[in-house]
Amino acid sequence: DAGVTQSPTHLIKTRGQQVTLRCSPKSGHDTVSWYQQALGQGPQFIFQYYEEEERQRGNFPDRFSGHQFPNYSSELNVNALLLGDSALYLCASGEGGGNYGYTFGSGTRLTVV
Amino acid sequence: DAKTTQPNSMESNEEEPVHLPCNHSTISGTDYIHWYRQLPSQGPEYVIHGLTSNVNNRMASLAIAEDRKSSTLILHRATLRDAAVYYCILRDVGGTSYGKLTFGQGTILTVHP
């Protein structure tokens, strides 16, 4: 049973560019959340998607946007990249809000230079 | 978001029990207590969760104080693979929280052979 799959695993971008990260949720899961984890810190909630709509959003600027597709997969887009956007981006999937816990992917390591 | 307080680090010897404490004095009636752990170079992994009663699963046990203002994650026999950052999280299932996870700094568990 495949868990949460994220791609790519590593990415290097230049300041000012745009990036798209992708996530395939665990089979049977319909809710996808995105988190940003800076080095040495705990993950910070970016937003959650359910039924193809953004259901909740954390304290992140509008440069961070996302999308959920009918097959429940999701994308995270970040525009006008800043050096401070360098982090591990984690995708977590759950059922109907993750009442029984979320399954996390291994993340995408984004480096902005 | 209700906050949790955990020790920055703890150490244990292999095959000994480990008790990881968490204080959450401002917990509300709709907050579930969730524990996740994050191994090096991986995304967080769900460990266990509970509301009021003590809980057991194949990974660990969760002991919840009667007033719910503190809890303890118990690893019955620590192995080297249990070395990780352990996060205690309060997850509100009421209102419009939709299951967002708010991570703190967590407890770094070191297991000695």
Side-chain angles (χ1 to χ4, degrees), chain A residues 31 33 35 37 40-45 48 55-58 88 90 96-107, chain B residues 1 32 34 36 38 41-47 49 85 87 89 91 93 96-106:
Chain A
T31 303
S33 301
Y35 290 80
Q37 186 173 25
Q41 304 295 317
Q44 300 298 306
F45 176 78
Q48 183 183 86
R55 185 161 70 169
Q56 190 179 18
R57 188 178 184 91
L88 180 67
L90 296 160
N99 284 327
Y100 299 99
Y102 289 99
T103 300
F104 281 79
S106 295
Chain B
D1 297 325
Y32 275 78
H34 281 240
Y36 282 76
Q38 188 170 20
S41 302
Q42 294 188 27
E45 175 187 27
Y46 167 80
V47 178
H49 79 282
V85 180
Y87 296 100
I89 299 166
R91 183 177 164 275
V93 296
T96 58
S97 65
Y98 298 127
K100 165 182 106 172
L101 298 177
T102 302
F103 289 82
Q105 291 294 101

